[in-house]
Amino acid sequence: MGKGIGKWIIAFIIIVPLLEWYVFLQMIEWIGGWNTLILLLTTSLVGILMMRFEGRKVIEDTKKQMDAGEPPGRRMLDGLCIFVGGVMLVLPGFILDIVGFTLVFPLTRPIYRNLLLRWIEKRMKKGSITIHRGGQ
């Protein structure tokens, strides 16, 4: 793992919980403690249901592409987005829920997929990602 990515991960581990705690306290102040807890549980439940539904769709689409002899690259990235979004939705927090929903939701997911594609292409051009084709 590169040093740059490690710094981002450390920053993420420190900054996100602090932001989540701040937003959580603000929500308690605005709508009350029980309502905040119910809202957190509801977003997690809805997120899990969305993740399951969208995940099944991606798996079915991937199978269709593979059966047709097409590489499922974009669908695999969709699956990655849904998985990461689902993890974010299960974890408590409003900021993570917002990002998680946008990762799972089909209309906003392409934003992340395109960012991932650009990141992968950039790494491939630099030679830091190599694709090995099996069976050849």
Side-chain angles (χ1 to χ4, degrees), residues 5-132:
I5 292 176
K7 289 179 183 178
W8 280 106
I9 291 172
I10 291 170
F12 184 81
I13 289 171
I14 293 170
I15 293 171
V16 170
L18 291 174
L19 287 172
E20 288 289 7
W21 184 249
Y22 174 77
V23 171
F24 183 74
L25 293 175
Q26 289 299 311
M27 291 300 290
I28 289 173
E29 192 173 304
W30 292 334
I31 64 173
W34 286 110
N35 290 336
T36 299
L37 181 61
I38 290 169
L39 186 58
L40 275 175
L41 292 173
T42 302
T43 57
S44 290
L45 179 62
V46 170
I48 289 169
L49 294 174
M50 278 182 68
M51 180 181 69
R52 288 184 68 192
F53 177 76
E54 289 300 319
R56 281 191 187 127
K57 273 181 34 182
V58 166
I59 289 170
E60 289 171 11
D61 291 346
T62 300
K63 284 180 183 177
K64 286 178 188 174
Q65 280 186 308
M66 290 175 71
D67 289 343
E70 300 173 16
R74 290 186 188 271
R75 286 291 168 209
M76 292 183 82
L77 289 177
D78 278 346
L80 177 63
C81 289
I82 291 168
F83 174 75
V84 171
V87 169
M88 290 177 140
L89 288 165
V90 171
L91 294 172
F94 293 106
I95 296 168
L96 290 175
D97 283 348
I98 291 168
V99 176
F101 275 119
T102 61
L103 277 161
V104 172
F105 192 62
L107 297 177
T108 51
R109 188 180 327 127
I111 296 167
Y112 296 99
R113 184 182 60 224
N114 292 334
L115 288 171
L116 275 170
L117 279 172
R118 279 193 232 132
W119 182 82
I120 290 168
E121 287 172 357
K122 190 176 171 183
R123 295 294 177 269
M124 286 175 70
K125 286 178 183 173
K126 286 182 177 180
S128 57
I129 291 180
T130 307
I131 296 182
H132 298 278

